[in-house]
């Protein structure tokens, strides 16, 4: 049936101006959907994938965020002695108490400053979160007021990068390195020495403690051990769950908004596609009558016309995915509602979202193509042969 | 005596526009022996096209039976009719009805897609048909690159490529100038003489009708033969 294929393809080609409009419309809608999906992917990456599967986050009972949480030094000490915690090659338990504070930073090119997360931690944090890597410079010397900044901070706030002096708490800090972390939330953070940060803020308790399990299945026993110790009064969460909960509201909101838009535009696109295909059928009524007179079945004509709309859909899908590739270079920032800090993320194209977009484009081109194709197949042959036109 | 290849037995055909009945054929009988070249003439609206449509099973009689190429056409289901049409009926239209996005040879190949022929066999048949109508050198031309007469010859090649039993031609010269019409008519009568095709041709042109063995004159419901 190569000939019928050629027939459909050349019909699309011949009507390229109207077909082009339809393809453009379909592509635009598909691109909107793809952008929503990419937004979701980017948020996921920034928030959920910030957590590592084997990491466990400890917060004060009742606290929902690191900012609002507190862990005393002796509590942290007890936790570090528990079994089931992974150890570094030096024999240290991989359990790091951290202080998280917010500072207000002037954003380059913007009037209002934004909140930025400063995390007091230890150099082992790079072992705990292997997705965070130094891109430039070096890490801070323990016991000094040196800091490293995430790449998003470097591009959006501290353009001068390494060598910049910054006031945090009551001290002056020096940027000595820039980190990157595969699009996760850590790219929007500043890291430094935890003890220096605590004294800069006059605090004597940490915010949270993150530890690496010796094995993924050890979660229950850590959870039990901490619950059993009345001195601890801490809640235990897998790091991924923590980030997932944190991002839930925002991700849902963005998705809802995006899908609403997509839906509205999709209705328009289906109508547009239907009009194009109706036009294609109407101008070809006599031709279709002729094919029926030769002995072609309604079903064969239906498939040729559907194939034609699918071609339109496929072209639109490809265009949309091309657009999505360009969108990958866009970075968006939003207020992270749970920490009130600035969070930047990239629109992220995944194979799944590309496939979904192609499916969507094909789907709505089908929906648009079916009614006219059915109409064409049902035409009375004698009446179709009397029709005017091409 | 050989049985007729087309036979109308007391066929009545009316169209209905709501309540209103528009009678087209009334108690019409016709018998066409195999290999006959029959011209059908008559004023506009007298039912000439309707007859061709009834023969091909594209339309159904209100009453009576129609047999064509061995099949009781008026009693068949749609898909049986489609299969039978592909095998036994070739159509030549006034406006050629070539598909503009397909080349001459592709247009001619169309009916063969409904056969079981292989690709090579199809190509051979197409070349033979286009050779017969004298258009071997126009195989890769699109309809818009052909003259009206050439387009109609492609239309005829398409009608005969599957070697059908009956050729139905509805005003095949209606859209052509004198010379083009003459070459199309010469071609049809050659098909009739050399390939022994049964041809039913509707025409307004007495010159065209002269090529036929017999002419059926329709006038306001009455039929006269000459
Ligand atoms: N689908 C239809 N519904 C109603 N009336 C119809 C329909 N098809 C044909 N008719 C009527 O039937 C009559 C015969 O039509 P037909 O096309 O057979 O005439 P014709 O002899 O071929 O005319 P012409 O020389 O103009 O082609 C006409 O009066 C026409 O209006
Ligand atoms: Mg007519």
């Amino acid at each position: 049936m190569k000939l019928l294929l050629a027939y459909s393809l050349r019909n699309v080609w011949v009507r390229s101006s109207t077909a082009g409009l339809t393809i453009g419309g379909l592509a635009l809608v598909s691109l909107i959907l793809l952008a929503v999906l990419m937004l979701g992917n980017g948020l996921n990456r920034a928030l959920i994938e910030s957590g590592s599967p084997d990491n466990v986050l400890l917060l004060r009972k009742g606290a929902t965020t690191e900012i609002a949480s507190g862990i005393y030094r002796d509590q942290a000490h007890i936790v570090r002695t528990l079994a089931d915690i992974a150890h570094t090659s030096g024999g240290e338990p991989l359990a790091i108490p951290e202080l998280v504070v917010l500072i207000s930073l002037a954003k380059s090119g913007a009037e209002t400053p934004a909140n930025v997360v400063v995390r007091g931690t230890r150099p082992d944090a790079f072992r705990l979160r292997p997705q965070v890597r130094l891109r430039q410079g070096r890490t801070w010397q323990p016991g000094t007021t040196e800091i490293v900044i995430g790449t998003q901070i470097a591009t959006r706030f501290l353009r001068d990068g390494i060598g910049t002096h910054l006031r945090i708490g009551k001290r002056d800090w020096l940027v000595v390195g820039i980190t990157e972390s595969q699009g996760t939330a850590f790219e929007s953070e500043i890291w430094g020495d935890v003890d220096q940060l605590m004294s800069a803020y006059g605090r004597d308790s940490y915010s949270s403690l993150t530890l690496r399990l010796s094995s993924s299945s050890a979660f229950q026993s850590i959870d039990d051990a901490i619950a059993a110790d009345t001195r601890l009064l801490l809640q235990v969460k897998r790091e991924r769950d923590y980030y997932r909960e944190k991002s839930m509201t925002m991700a849902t909101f963005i998705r809802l908004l995006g899908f609403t838009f997509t839906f509205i535009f999709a209705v328009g696109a289906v109508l547009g596609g239907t009009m194009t295909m109706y036009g294609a059928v109407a101008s070809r009524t006599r031709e279709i009558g002729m094919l029926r007179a030769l002995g072609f079945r309604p079903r064969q004509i239906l498939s040729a016309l559907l194939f034609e709309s699918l071609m339109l859909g496929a072209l639109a899908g490809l265009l949309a995915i091309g657009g999505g590739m360009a969108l990958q270079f866009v970075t968006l920032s939003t207020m992270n509602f749970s920490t009130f800090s600035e969070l930047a993320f990239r629109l992220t194209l995944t194979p799944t979202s590309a496939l979904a977009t192609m499916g969507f484009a094909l789907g709505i081109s089908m929906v648009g193509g079916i009614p006219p194709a059915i109409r064409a197949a049902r035409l009375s042959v004698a009446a179709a042969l009397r029709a005017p036109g091409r | 005596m050989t049985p007729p290849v087309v036979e109308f037995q007391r066929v009545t055909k009316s169209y209905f526009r709501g309540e209103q009945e528009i009678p087209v054929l009334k108690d019409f009988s016709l018998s066409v022996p195999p290999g006959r070249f029959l011209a059908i003439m008559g004023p506009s609206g007298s039912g000439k096209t309707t007859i061709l449509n009834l023969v091909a099973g594209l339309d159904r009689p209100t009453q009576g039976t129609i047999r064509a190429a061995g099949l009781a056409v008026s009693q068949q289901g749609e898909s049986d009719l489609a299969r039978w049409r592909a095998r036994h009926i070739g159509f030549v239209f006034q406006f050629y009805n070539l598909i503009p996005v397909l080349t001459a040879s592709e247009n001619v190949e169309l009916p063969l897609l409904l056969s079981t022929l292989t690709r090579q066999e199809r190509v051979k048949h197409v070349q033979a048909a286009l050779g017969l109508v004298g258009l071997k050198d126009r195989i890769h031309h699109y309809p818009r690159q052909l003259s009206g007469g050439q387009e109609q010859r492609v239309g005829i090649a398409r009608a005969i490529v599957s070697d059908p039993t009956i050729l139905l031609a509805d005003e095949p010269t209606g859209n052509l100038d004198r010379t083009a019409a003459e070459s199309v008519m010469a071609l049809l009568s050659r098909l009739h003489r050399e390939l022994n095709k049964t041809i039913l041709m509707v025409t307004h042109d007495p010159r065209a009708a002269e090529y036929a063995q017999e002419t059926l004159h329709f006038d306001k419901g009455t039929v006269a033969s000459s």
Side-chain angles (χ1 to χ4, degrees), chain B residues 6-9 11-12 25 28 50-51 53-57 59-68 71-75 84:
Chain B
V6 175
E7 189 176 27
F8 280 55
Q9 284 174 335
V11 170
T12 296
L25 297 177
F28 174 73
T50 304
I51 288 185
N53 286 344
L54 287 171
V55 171
D59 212 339
R60 286 171 190 283
T62 316
Q63 257 174 45
T65 54
I66 297 161
R67 296 188 64 82
L71 189 84
V73 178
S74 47
Q75 272 129 46
W84 168 84

PDB file of all heavy atoms in Angstrom, chain B residues 6-9 11-12 25 28 50-51 53-57 59-68 71-75 84:
ATOM      1  N   VAL B   6     -25.558  -6.969 -19.493  1.00  0.00           N
ATOM      2  CA  VAL B   6     -26.294  -6.030 -18.635  1.00  0.00           C
ATOM      3  C   VAL B   6     -27.769  -6.221 -18.903  1.00  0.00           C
ATOM      4  O   VAL B   6     -28.190  -6.275 -20.057  1.00  0.00           O
ATOM      5  CB  VAL B   6     -25.910  -4.565 -18.934  1.00  0.00           C
ATOM      6  CG1 VAL B   6     -26.794  -3.615 -18.116  1.00  0.00           C
ATOM      7  CG2 VAL B   6     -24.441  -4.320 -18.631  1.00  0.00           C
ATOM      8  N   GLU B   7     -28.534  -6.353 -17.841  1.00  0.00           N
ATOM      9  CA  GLU B   7     -29.965  -6.559 -18.031  1.00  0.00           C
ATOM     10  C   GLU B   7     -30.773  -5.810 -16.974  1.00  0.00           C
ATOM     11  O   GLU B   7     -30.568  -6.004 -15.776  1.00  0.00           O
ATOM     12  CB  GLU B   7     -30.272  -8.055 -17.959  1.00  0.00           C
ATOM     13  CG  GLU B   7     -31.697  -8.377 -18.369  1.00  0.00           C
ATOM     14  CD  GLU B   7     -31.950  -9.883 -18.384  1.00  0.00           C
ATOM     15  OE1 GLU B   7     -31.250 -10.593 -17.624  1.00  0.00           O
ATOM     16  OE2 GLU B   7     -32.831 -10.329 -19.121  1.00  0.00           O
ATOM     17  N   PHE B   8     -31.668  -4.903 -17.430  1.00  0.00           N
ATOM     18  CA  PHE B   8     -32.613  -4.215 -16.538  1.00  0.00           C
ATOM     19  C   PHE B   8     -33.965  -4.865 -16.733  1.00  0.00           C
ATOM     20  O   PHE B   8     -34.431  -4.976 -17.866  1.00  0.00           O
ATOM     21  CB  PHE B   8     -32.737  -2.730 -16.915  1.00  0.00           C
ATOM     22  CG  PHE B   8     -31.621  -1.864 -16.401  1.00  0.00           C
ATOM     23  CD1 PHE B   8     -30.315  -2.172 -16.696  1.00  0.00           C
ATOM     24  CD2 PHE B   8     -31.891  -0.740 -15.630  1.00  0.00           C
ATOM     25  CE1 PHE B   8     -29.287  -1.366 -16.241  1.00  0.00           C
ATOM     26  CE2 PHE B   8     -30.868   0.066 -15.168  1.00  0.00           C
ATOM     27  CZ  PHE B   8     -29.562  -0.242 -15.470  1.00  0.00           C
ATOM     28  N   GLN B   9     -34.587  -5.330 -15.660  1.00  0.00           N
ATOM     29  CA  GLN B   9     -35.917  -5.913 -15.785  1.00  0.00           C
ATOM     30  C   GLN B   9     -36.923  -5.041 -15.058  1.00  0.00           C
ATOM     31  O   GLN B   9     -36.950  -5.016 -13.835  1.00  0.00           O
ATOM     32  CB  GLN B   9     -35.933  -7.332 -15.206  1.00  0.00           C
ATOM     33  CG  GLN B   9     -35.266  -8.325 -16.141  1.00  0.00           C
ATOM     34  CD  GLN B   9     -35.153  -9.697 -15.506  1.00  0.00           C
ATOM     35  OE1 GLN B   9     -35.135  -9.815 -14.280  1.00  0.00           O
ATOM     36  NE2 GLN B   9     -35.077 -10.724 -16.323  1.00  0.00           N
ATOM     37  N   VAL B  11     -37.300  -1.869 -14.364  1.00  0.00           N
ATOM     38  CA  VAL B  11     -36.694  -1.100 -13.279  1.00  0.00           C
ATOM     39  C   VAL B  11     -37.364   0.260 -13.146  1.00  0.00           C
ATOM     40  O   VAL B  11     -37.564   0.974 -14.127  1.00  0.00           O
ATOM     41  CB  VAL B  11     -35.182  -0.897 -13.534  1.00  0.00           C
ATOM     42  CG1 VAL B  11     -34.600   0.106 -12.532  1.00  0.00           C
ATOM     43  CG2 VAL B  11     -34.455  -2.235 -13.426  1.00  0.00           C
ATOM     44  N   THR B  12     -37.748   0.564 -11.906  1.00  0.00           N
ATOM     45  CA  THR B  12     -38.269   1.889 -11.592  1.00  0.00           C
ATOM     46  C   THR B  12     -37.300   2.551 -10.629  1.00  0.00           C
ATOM     47  O   THR B  12     -36.799   1.909  -9.701  1.00  0.00           O
ATOM     48  CB  THR B  12     -39.658   1.771 -10.935  1.00  0.00           C
ATOM     49  OG1 THR B  12     -40.546   1.196 -11.882  1.00  0.00           O
ATOM     50  CG2 THR B  12     -40.173   3.144 -10.515  1.00  0.00           C
ATOM     51  N   LEU B  25     -36.762   6.759 -13.720  1.00  0.00           N
ATOM     52  CA  LEU B  25     -36.990   5.644 -14.636  1.00  0.00           C
ATOM     53  C   LEU B  25     -38.307   4.994 -14.253  1.00  0.00           C
ATOM     54  O   LEU B  25     -38.615   4.844 -13.072  1.00  0.00           O
ATOM     55  CB  LEU B  25     -35.876   4.603 -14.526  1.00  0.00           C
ATOM     56  CG  LEU B  25     -34.455   5.049 -14.894  1.00  0.00           C
ATOM     57  CD1 LEU B  25     -33.478   3.905 -14.640  1.00  0.00           C
ATOM     58  CD2 LEU B  25     -34.398   5.498 -16.346  1.00  0.00           C
ATOM     59  N   PHE B  28     -38.455   0.425 -16.724  1.00  0.00           N
ATOM     60  CA  PHE B  28     -37.429   0.452 -17.765  1.00  0.00           C
ATOM     61  C   PHE B  28     -36.756  -0.906 -17.910  1.00  0.00           C
ATOM     62  O   PHE B  28     -36.297  -1.487 -16.936  1.00  0.00           O
ATOM     63  CB  PHE B  28     -36.407   1.537 -17.399  1.00  0.00           C
ATOM     64  CG  PHE B  28     -35.211   1.583 -18.296  1.00  0.00           C
ATOM     65  CD1 PHE B  28     -35.310   2.079 -19.597  1.00  0.00           C
ATOM     66  CD2 PHE B  28     -33.977   1.142 -17.847  1.00  0.00           C
ATOM     67  CE1 PHE B  28     -34.197   2.139 -20.420  1.00  0.00           C
ATOM     68  CE2 PHE B  28     -32.867   1.197 -18.666  1.00  0.00           C
ATOM     69  CZ  PHE B  28     -32.979   1.707 -19.955  1.00  0.00           C
ATOM     70  N   THR B  50     -27.996   8.116 -14.034  1.00  0.00           N
ATOM     71  CA  THR B  50     -28.630   7.190 -13.093  1.00  0.00           C
ATOM     72  C   THR B  50     -28.502   5.747 -13.584  1.00  0.00           C
ATOM     73  O   THR B  50     -28.238   4.836 -12.793  1.00  0.00           O
ATOM     74  CB  THR B  50     -30.108   7.575 -12.916  1.00  0.00           C
ATOM     75  OG1 THR B  50     -30.166   8.942 -12.497  1.00  0.00           O
ATOM     76  CG2 THR B  50     -30.774   6.686 -11.888  1.00  0.00           C
ATOM     77  N   ILE B  51     -28.666   5.544 -14.896  1.00  0.00           N
ATOM     78  CA  ILE B  51     -28.558   4.184 -15.439  1.00  0.00           C
ATOM     79  C   ILE B  51     -27.162   3.614 -15.197  1.00  0.00           C
ATOM     80  O   ILE B  51     -27.005   2.478 -14.718  1.00  0.00           O
ATOM     81  CB  ILE B  51     -28.882   4.183 -16.948  1.00  0.00           C
ATOM     82  CG1 ILE B  51     -30.381   4.415 -17.126  1.00  0.00           C
ATOM     83  CG2 ILE B  51     -28.457   2.866 -17.593  1.00  0.00           C
ATOM     84  CD1 ILE B  51     -30.838   4.317 -18.560  1.00  0.00           C
ATOM     85  N   ASN B  53     -25.031   4.482 -12.933  1.00  0.00           N
ATOM     86  CA  ASN B  53     -24.853   4.233 -11.498  1.00  0.00           C
ATOM     87  C   ASN B  53     -25.545   2.951 -11.064  1.00  0.00           C
ATOM     88  O   ASN B  53     -25.037   2.210 -10.222  1.00  0.00           O
ATOM     89  CB  ASN B  53     -25.382   5.412 -10.678  1.00  0.00           C
ATOM     90  CG  ASN B  53     -24.452   6.616 -10.759  1.00  0.00           C
ATOM     91  OD1 ASN B  53     -23.298   6.483 -11.172  1.00  0.00           O
ATOM     92  ND2 ASN B  53     -24.950   7.774 -10.373  1.00  0.00           N
ATOM     93  N   LEU B  54     -26.715   2.699 -11.655  1.00  0.00           N
ATOM     94  CA  LEU B  54     -27.449   1.478 -11.296  1.00  0.00           C
ATOM     95  C   LEU B  54     -26.684   0.245 -11.772  1.00  0.00           C
ATOM     96  O   LEU B  54     -26.592  -0.758 -11.057  1.00  0.00           O
ATOM     97  CB  LEU B  54     -28.852   1.507 -11.908  1.00  0.00           C
ATOM     98  CG  LEU B  54     -29.837   2.484 -11.237  1.00  0.00           C
ATOM     99  CD1 LEU B  54     -31.117   2.598 -12.069  1.00  0.00           C
ATOM    100  CD2 LEU B  54     -30.169   2.036  -9.812  1.00  0.00           C
ATOM    101  N   VAL B  55     -26.112   0.309 -12.980  1.00  0.00           N
ATOM    102  CA  VAL B  55     -25.349  -0.830 -13.500  1.00  0.00           C
ATOM    103  C   VAL B  55     -24.188  -1.141 -12.568  1.00  0.00           C
ATOM    104  O   VAL B  55     -23.899  -2.298 -12.256  1.00  0.00           O
ATOM    105  CB  VAL B  55     -24.802  -0.535 -14.919  1.00  0.00           C
ATOM    106  CG1 VAL B  55     -23.832  -1.626 -15.349  1.00  0.00           C
ATOM    107  CG2 VAL B  55     -25.948  -0.412 -15.909  1.00  0.00           C
ATOM    108  N   ALA B  56     -23.515  -0.078 -12.071  1.00  0.00           N
ATOM    109  CA  ALA B  56     -22.324  -0.275 -11.242  1.00  0.00           C
ATOM    110  C   ALA B  56     -22.667  -0.542  -9.783  1.00  0.00           C
ATOM    111  O   ALA B  56     -21.780  -0.770  -8.965  1.00  0.00           O
ATOM    112  CB  ALA B  56     -21.428   0.956 -11.332  1.00  0.00           C
ATOM    113  N   GLY B  57     -23.965  -0.502  -9.465  1.00  0.00           N
ATOM    114  CA  GLY B  57     -24.345  -0.734  -8.071  1.00  0.00           C
ATOM    115  C   GLY B  57     -23.995   0.437  -7.171  1.00  0.00           C
ATOM    116  O   GLY B  57     -23.870   0.281  -5.958  1.00  0.00           O
ATOM    117  N   ASP B  59     -25.942   2.942  -6.994  1.00  0.00           N
ATOM    118  CA  ASP B  59     -27.262   3.423  -6.625  1.00  0.00           C
ATOM    119  C   ASP B  59     -28.191   2.216  -6.724  1.00  0.00           C
ATOM    120  O   ASP B  59     -27.872   1.260  -7.418  1.00  0.00           O
ATOM    121  CB  ASP B  59     -27.680   4.525  -7.615  1.00  0.00           C
ATOM    122  CG  ASP B  59     -28.560   5.569  -6.944  1.00  0.00           C
ATOM    123  OD1 ASP B  59     -29.155   5.241  -5.892  1.00  0.00           O
ATOM    124  OD2 ASP B  59     -28.644   6.688  -7.481  1.00  0.00           O
ATOM    125  N   ARG B  60     -29.310   2.256  -5.991  1.00  0.00           N
ATOM    126  CA  ARG B  60     -30.207   1.095  -6.011  1.00  0.00           C
ATOM    127  C   ARG B  60     -31.550   1.435  -6.650  1.00  0.00           C
ATOM    128  O   ARG B  60     -32.060   2.534  -6.464  1.00  0.00           O
ATOM    129  CB  ARG B  60     -30.437   0.599  -4.577  1.00  0.00           C
ATOM    130  CG  ARG B  60     -29.215  -0.112  -4.046  1.00  0.00           C
ATOM    131  CD  ARG B  60     -29.365  -0.403  -2.560  1.00  0.00           C
ATOM    132  NE  ARG B  60     -28.090  -0.865  -2.032  1.00  0.00           N
ATOM    133  CZ  ARG B  60     -27.610  -2.091  -2.209  1.00  0.00           C
ATOM    134  NH1 ARG B  60     -28.323  -2.971  -2.896  1.00  0.00           N
ATOM    135  NH2 ARG B  60     -26.445  -2.430  -1.720  1.00  0.00           N
ATOM    136  N   PRO B  61     -32.114   0.493  -7.406  1.00  0.00           N
ATOM    137  CA  PRO B  61     -33.426   0.760  -8.008  1.00  0.00           C
ATOM    138  C   PRO B  61     -34.521   0.772  -6.934  1.00  0.00           C
ATOM    139  O   PRO B  61     -34.354   0.149  -5.891  1.00  0.00           O
ATOM    140  CB  PRO B  61     -33.618  -0.418  -8.965  1.00  0.00           C
ATOM    141  CG  PRO B  61     -32.795  -1.510  -8.382  1.00  0.00           C
ATOM    142  CD  PRO B  61     -31.611  -0.849  -7.723  1.00  0.00           C
ATOM    143  N   THR B  62     -35.581   1.535  -7.227  1.00  0.00           N
ATOM    144  CA  THR B  62     -36.720   1.521  -6.315  1.00  0.00           C
ATOM    145  C   THR B  62     -37.488   0.211  -6.482  1.00  0.00           C
ATOM    146  O   THR B  62     -37.980  -0.372  -5.525  1.00  0.00           O
ATOM    147  CB  THR B  62     -37.642   2.718  -6.630  1.00  0.00           C
ATOM    148  OG1 THR B  62     -36.831   3.879  -6.837  1.00  0.00           O
ATOM    149  CG2 THR B  62     -38.591   2.980  -5.482  1.00  0.00           C
ATOM    150  N   GLN B  63     -37.554  -0.240  -7.739  1.00  0.00           N
ATOM    151  CA  GLN B  63     -38.215  -1.511  -8.033  1.00  0.00           C
ATOM    152  C   GLN B  63     -37.511  -2.197  -9.193  1.00  0.00           C
ATOM    153  O   GLN B  63     -36.856  -1.518  -9.992  1.00  0.00           O
ATOM    154  CB  GLN B  63     -39.666  -1.244  -8.447  1.00  0.00           C
ATOM    155  CG  GLN B  63     -40.681  -1.545  -7.338  1.00  0.00           C
ATOM    156  CD  GLN B  63     -42.062  -1.101  -7.787  1.00  0.00           C
ATOM    157  OE1 GLN B  63     -42.459  -1.366  -8.926  1.00  0.00           O
ATOM    158  NE2 GLN B  63     -42.781  -0.430  -6.889  1.00  0.00           N
ATOM    159  N   GLY B  64     -37.690  -3.501  -9.322  1.00  0.00           N
ATOM    160  CA  GLY B  64     -37.112  -4.217 -10.440  1.00  0.00           C
ATOM    161  C   GLY B  64     -35.730  -4.761 -10.104  1.00  0.00           C
ATOM    162  O   GLY B  64     -35.190  -4.481  -9.034  1.00  0.00           O
ATOM    163  N   THR B  65     -35.177  -5.566 -11.029  1.00  0.00           N
ATOM    164  CA  THR B  65     -33.863  -6.139 -10.776  1.00  0.00           C
ATOM    165  C   THR B  65     -32.905  -5.778 -11.904  1.00  0.00           C
ATOM    166  O   THR B  65     -33.310  -5.577 -13.046  1.00  0.00           O
ATOM    167  CB  THR B  65     -33.909  -7.679 -10.664  1.00  0.00           C
ATOM    168  OG1 THR B  65     -34.547  -8.176 -11.837  1.00  0.00           O
ATOM    169  CG2 THR B  65     -34.655  -8.133  -9.434  1.00  0.00           C
ATOM    170  N   ILE B  66     -31.645  -5.714 -11.515  1.00  0.00           N
ATOM    171  CA  ILE B  66     -30.595  -5.406 -12.471  1.00  0.00           C
ATOM    172  C   ILE B  66     -29.542  -6.490 -12.353  1.00  0.00           C
ATOM    173  O   ILE B  66     -29.080  -6.803 -11.253  1.00  0.00           O
ATOM    174  CB  ILE B  66     -29.971  -4.037 -12.166  1.00  0.00           C
ATOM    175  CG1 ILE B  66     -31.032  -2.941 -12.315  1.00  0.00           C
ATOM    176  CG2 ILE B  66     -28.776  -3.774 -13.071  1.00  0.00           C
ATOM    177  CD1 ILE B  66     -30.677  -1.664 -11.634  1.00  0.00           C
ATOM    178  N   ARG B  67     -29.170  -7.057 -13.494  1.00  0.00           N
ATOM    179  CA  ARG B  67     -28.054  -8.002 -13.517  1.00  0.00           C
ATOM    180  C   ARG B  67     -26.950  -7.409 -14.370  1.00  0.00           C
ATOM    181  O   ARG B  67     -27.223  -6.808 -15.402  1.00  0.00           O
ATOM    182  CB  ARG B  67     -28.478  -9.353 -14.095  1.00  0.00           C
ATOM    183  CG  ARG B  67     -29.528 -10.097 -13.289  1.00  0.00           C
ATOM    184  CD  ARG B  67     -29.737 -11.510 -13.850  1.00  0.00           C
ATOM    185  NE  ARG B  67     -28.528 -12.309 -13.724  1.00  0.00           N
ATOM    186  CZ  ARG B  67     -28.184 -12.942 -12.598  1.00  0.00           C
ATOM    187  NH1 ARG B  67     -28.965 -12.868 -11.540  1.00  0.00           N
ATOM    188  NH2 ARG B  67     -27.069 -13.643 -12.554  1.00  0.00           N
ATOM    189  N   ALA B  68     -25.729  -7.570 -13.915  1.00  0.00           N
ATOM    190  CA  ALA B  68     -24.605  -7.091 -14.722  1.00  0.00           C
ATOM    191  C   ALA B  68     -23.419  -7.994 -14.461  1.00  0.00           C
ATOM    192  O   ALA B  68     -23.170  -8.367 -13.313  1.00  0.00           O
ATOM    193  CB  ALA B  68     -24.258  -5.647 -14.370  1.00  0.00           C
ATOM    194  N   LEU B  71     -23.950 -10.820 -12.044  1.00  0.00           N
ATOM    195  CA  LEU B  71     -24.332 -10.602 -10.651  1.00  0.00           C
ATOM    196  C   LEU B  71     -25.671  -9.865 -10.587  1.00  0.00           C
ATOM    197  O   LEU B  71     -25.921  -8.954 -11.371  1.00  0.00           O
ATOM    198  CB  LEU B  71     -23.253  -9.763  -9.961  1.00  0.00           C
ATOM    199  CG  LEU B  71     -23.399  -9.622  -8.452  1.00  0.00           C
ATOM    200  CD1 LEU B  71     -22.790 -10.820  -7.745  1.00  0.00           C
ATOM    201  CD2 LEU B  71     -22.732  -8.339  -7.967  1.00  0.00           C
ATOM    202  N   ALA B  72     -26.519 -10.280  -9.653  1.00  0.00           N
ATOM    203  CA  ALA B  72     -27.761  -9.545  -9.415  1.00  0.00           C
ATOM    204  C   ALA B  72     -27.409  -8.317  -8.585  1.00  0.00           C
ATOM    205  O   ALA B  72     -27.484  -8.313  -7.365  1.00  0.00           O
ATOM    206  CB  ALA B  72     -28.776 -10.423  -8.689  1.00  0.00           C
ATOM    207  N   VAL B  73     -26.985  -7.259  -9.284  1.00  0.00           N
ATOM    208  CA  VAL B  73     -26.417  -6.071  -8.654  1.00  0.00           C
ATOM    209  C   VAL B  73     -27.359  -5.471  -7.612  1.00  0.00           C
ATOM    210  O   VAL B  73     -26.947  -5.052  -6.534  1.00  0.00           O
ATOM    211  CB  VAL B  73     -26.108  -5.008  -9.726  1.00  0.00           C
ATOM    212  CG1 VAL B  73     -25.575  -3.749  -9.082  1.00  0.00           C
ATOM    213  CG2 VAL B  73     -25.129  -5.557 -10.723  1.00  0.00           C
ATOM    214  N   SER B  74     -28.646  -5.445  -7.952  1.00  0.00           N
ATOM    215  CA  SER B  74     -29.598  -4.749  -7.092  1.00  0.00           C
ATOM    216  C   SER B  74     -29.825  -5.477  -5.774  1.00  0.00           C
ATOM    217  O   SER B  74     -30.473  -4.951  -4.897  1.00  0.00           O
ATOM    218  CB  SER B  74     -30.914  -4.559  -7.840  1.00  0.00           C
ATOM    219  OG  SER B  74     -31.286  -5.781  -8.462  1.00  0.00           O
ATOM    220  N   GLN B  75     -29.266  -6.696  -5.652  1.00  0.00           N
ATOM    221  CA  GLN B  75     -29.529  -7.436  -4.420  1.00  0.00           C
ATOM    222  C   GLN B  75     -28.284  -7.675  -3.550  1.00  0.00           C
ATOM    223  O   GLN B  75     -28.340  -8.453  -2.610  1.00  0.00           O
ATOM    224  CB  GLN B  75     -30.170  -8.790  -4.768  1.00  0.00           C
ATOM    225  CG  GLN B  75     -31.682  -8.714  -4.874  1.00  0.00           C
ATOM    226  CD  GLN B  75     -32.152  -9.329  -6.179  1.00  0.00           C
ATOM    227  OE1 GLN B  75     -31.717 -10.397  -6.574  1.00  0.00           O
ATOM    228  NE2 GLN B  75     -33.062  -8.621  -6.852  1.00  0.00           N
ATOM    229  N   TRP B  84     -16.854  -6.796  -6.415  1.00  0.00           N
ATOM    230  CA  TRP B  84     -17.308  -7.094  -7.778  1.00  0.00           C
ATOM    231  C   TRP B  84     -16.978  -5.939  -8.728  1.00  0.00           C
ATOM    232  O   TRP B  84     -16.531  -6.142  -9.846  1.00  0.00           O
ATOM    233  CB  TRP B  84     -18.819  -7.350  -7.726  1.00  0.00           C
ATOM    234  CG  TRP B  84     -19.511  -7.389  -9.052  1.00  0.00           C
ATOM    235  CD1 TRP B  84     -19.609  -8.451  -9.899  1.00  0.00           C
ATOM    236  CD2 TRP B  84     -20.210  -6.298  -9.676  1.00  0.00           C
ATOM    237  NE1 TRP B  84     -20.323  -8.110 -11.013  1.00  0.00           N
ATOM    238  CE2 TRP B  84     -20.707  -6.786 -10.903  1.00  0.00           C
ATOM    239  CE3 TRP B  84     -20.472  -4.988  -9.325  1.00  0.00           C
ATOM    240  CZ2 TRP B  84     -21.452  -6.003 -11.775  1.00  0.00           C
ATOM    241  CZ3 TRP B  84     -21.208  -4.199 -10.182  1.00  0.00           C
ATOM    242  CH2 TRP B  84     -21.687  -4.700 -11.396  1.00  0.00           C
TER     243      TRP B  84
END
